Amino acid sequence: MDKLLIRGGRPLNGTVRISGAKNAALPELCAALLTAEPVTLCNVPRLQDVITMQKLIRNMGVHVERLENGDVALNACALTHPEAPYELVKTMRASVLALGPLLARFGHAKVSLPGGCAIGSRPVDQHIKGLTAMGAEISVEHGYMMAKLPSGRTRLQGARIATDMVTVTGTENFLMAACLADGETILENAAQEPEIPDLAEMLIKMGAHIEGHGSSRIRIQGVEKLHGCTHQVVADRIETGTFLCAVAATGGAVLAQHGRIDHLEAVVEKLRDAGVLVTSVEGGIRVQSAGARQLKAQSFRTTEYPGFPTDMQAQFMALNCMAHGTAKVTETIFENRFMHVNELVRLGANIQIDGKVALVEGVQNLSGAIVMATDLRASASLVIAGLVAEGETRVDRIYHLDRGYDQMETKLRALGADIERVK
């Protein structure tokens, strides 16, 4: 397996281009299942999860082609196998996003229960509950969700869906399914992450009737069919936030092209409170920092958007490891999302865990060591820590990193980091 070797102590300077959001590209690839006409997605990141999703829908019979300019052309006119097998989705939880579109267009689907990062429970029961409310019959058999329409019915039915919790993939599944349902569907307690209005805008280009996307209440009026479109995937706010934290920790000045402060307000507010200069400029975000030792530690609590994202918790914790003072980090979303703590401690961090709370006391220096990535965002936190640690840090199991960051080491090296991938 590949590893990253990082020799810390270098500031980051220059310009980095932020890739398209993985969490927008994955549902938008599935949205192409809703039509028999060609769909083109622009700014699609080159990530393992995206490659897996492309393999998954290609296995169903969808024509998938990555063009020379980086766009992805899709055509689901000849889809023959509305099935997502375990072998293709065992490493990716987003496979559940195929359930709604397949059921809506073909009236039946077989989707494996998903895999992915081991960061806690992400049950699919809300997906089943919502699609059942739309008239689907769903059972779980031998590790698969078996979905179909009742005998004599050819379309899902509009419904009011109020989930027991805010679920991003659930909101996306219902949003896609409702576009081809009979009548009106209202999603209560809908997730509000920027990737959801981006998906809605794509669906509207395809002919869907959607209102309220970006709020907690979305209204969808079903249509007879959807047509093709060309859509640009929104910039990845988590990649943006990761680079902001990296620059904050190492010091330097970087322009994050395509980054949007309005998608990262909770993180930007904490960075500014820490002493980092973050400004919105034409074409992106500019971040400037004197380095972690000149910053103030910041306490925060993860919560649903627009609060502080759980996907930025590990990266900001790495920054806190060398900032002045003590920070209290409270994780409310996933129960196993402190697995990076032991690895940060190996680098010299001072962190104590008590249930859902981590107390991080800033230290004078981190020192390079061999560490192991345990999940996607943990990988990013170890890279950030390695960039400021004295000596050499080796990050093992970076296949996690490749699931969510498009050529991260290449982008960091272009900014002046001493980092290389070793086979």
Side-chain angles (χ1 to χ4, degrees), residues 19 60 81 90 171-172 175 189 197 211 232 296 306 313 319 391:
S19 300
M60 296 178 186
H81 306 291
K90 60 186 177 183
T171 299
E172 291 166 341
L175 183 58
N189 201 27
E211 297 177 354
Q232 176 141 329
K296 299 176 182 177
Q313 178 253 105
L319 172 61

Side-chain angles (χ1 to χ4, degrees), residues 348-398:
N350 185 354
I351 308 172
Q352 303 295 324
I353 298 178
D354 183 9
K356 296 182 177 181
V357 177
L359 289 177
V360 187
E361 184 175 344
V363 298
Q364 186 69 31
N365 293 297
L366 297 178
S367 57
I370 299 174
V371 292
M372 180 179 69
T374 54
D375 62 70
L376 170 55
R377 305 309 173 185
S379 309
S381 75
L382 298 179
V383 171
I384 292 171
L387 290 172
V388 296
E390 295 179 346
E392 185 175 272
T393 297
R394 189 179 91 190
V395 184
D396 290 346
R397 292 174 62 177
I398 60 167

Side-chain angles (χ1 to χ4, degrees), residues 77-399:
C77 67
L79 192 149
T80 54
H81 306 291
E83 177 179 341
Y86 174 76
E87 290 73 20
L88 285 174
V89 304
K90 60 186 177 183
T91 63
M92 184 183 62
R93 293 177 183 268
S95 58
V96 72
L97 289 167
L99 184 62
L102 291 176
L103 190 57
R105 183 174 164 204
F106 299 99
H108 61 98
K110 179 181 179 182
V111 176
S112 171
L113 294 172
C117 288
I119 57 174
S121 175
R122 293 195 252 190
V124 298
D125 62 325
Q126 298 300 305
H127 297 258
I128 295 173
K129 175 183 176 181
L131 293 171
T132 300
M134 298 177 73
E137 296 177 348
I138 304 177
S139 60
V140 177
E141 304 172 14
H142 308 295
Y144 281 84
M145 291 175 284
M146 311 291 290
K148 63 179 182 178
L149 295 178
S151 177
R153 186 174 293 176
T154 59
R155 292 167 65 88
L156 290 169
Q157 304 297 305
R160 177 182 175 275
I161 301 173
T163 52
D164 300 329
M165 64 187 76
V166 176
T167 162
V168 174
T169 54
T171 299
E172 291 166 341
N173 235 340
F174 308 145
L175 183 58
M176 290 186 283
C179 289
L180 293 180
D182 280 335
E184 183 178 78
T185 298
I186 297 176
L187 307 183
E188 306 280 7
N189 201 27
Q192 301 176 53
E193 278 76 355
E195 296 79 20
I196 289 171
D198 193 59
L199 171 62
E201 289 300 324
M202 174 186 175
L203 293 168
I204 290 170
K205 291 176 185 176
M206 296 170 70
H209 296 165
I210 304 171
E211 297 177 354
H213 43 295
S215 75
S216 61
R217 191 171 193 265
I218 304 176
R219 186 188 300 267
I220 309 104
Q221 191 71 39
V223 297
E224 187 66 29
K225 69 174 185 176
L226 297 177
H227 52 73
C229 76
T230 297
H231 179 75
Q232 176 141 329
V233 180
V234 69
D236 192 324
R237 62 193 170 95
I238 304 302
E239 184 189 19
T240 304
T242 299
F243 275 98
L244 297 186
C245 284
V247 178
T250 63
V254 168
L255 169 65
Q257 281 185 327
H258 307 304
R260 292 179 52 173
I261 283 182
D262 61 327
H263 288 174
L264 272 174
E265 289 181 347
V267 174
V268 169
E269 179 182 352
K270 289 296 180 182
L271 286 170
R272 287 172 171 166
D273 289 346
V276 183
L277 181 63
V278 186
T279 53
S280 180
V281 297
E282 184 176 355
I285 301 173
R286 183 168 179 80
V287 56
Q288 190 168 352
S289 172
R293 289 305 300 160
Q294 306 303 315
L295 304 180
K296 299 176 182 177
Q298 297 296 310
S299 298
F300 60 90
R301 178 186 184 91
T302 64
T303 186
E304 291 84 4
Y305 188 85
F308 197 100
T310 182
D311 278 354
M312 282 301 305
Q313 178 253 105
Q315 300 92 306
F316 210 104
M317 184 183 289
L319 172 61
N320 274 333
C321 286
M322 287 186 63
H324 283 290
T326 300
K328 179 181 177 181
V329 177
T330 306
E331 174 60 55
T332 70
I333 306 298
F334 294 124
E335 65 269 22
N336 291 341
R337 208 157 205 177
F338 282 150
M339 291 190 292
H340 51 281
V341 167
N342 287 339
E343 303 305 305
L344 289 172
V345 169
R346 286 180 54 79
L347 295 169
N350 185 354
I351 308 172
Q352 303 295 324
I353 298 178
D354 183 9
K356 296 182 177 181
V357 177
L359 289 177
V360 187
E361 184 175 344
V363 298
Q364 186 69 31
N365 293 297
L366 297 178
S367 57
I370 299 174
V371 292
M372 180 179 69
T374 54
D375 62 70
L376 170 55
R377 305 309 173 185
S379 309
S381 75
L382 298 179
V383 171
I384 292 171
L387 290 172
V388 296
E390 295 179 346
E392 185 175 272
T393 297
R394 189 179 91 190
V395 184
D396 290 346
R397 292 174 62 177
I398 60 167
Y399 59 85

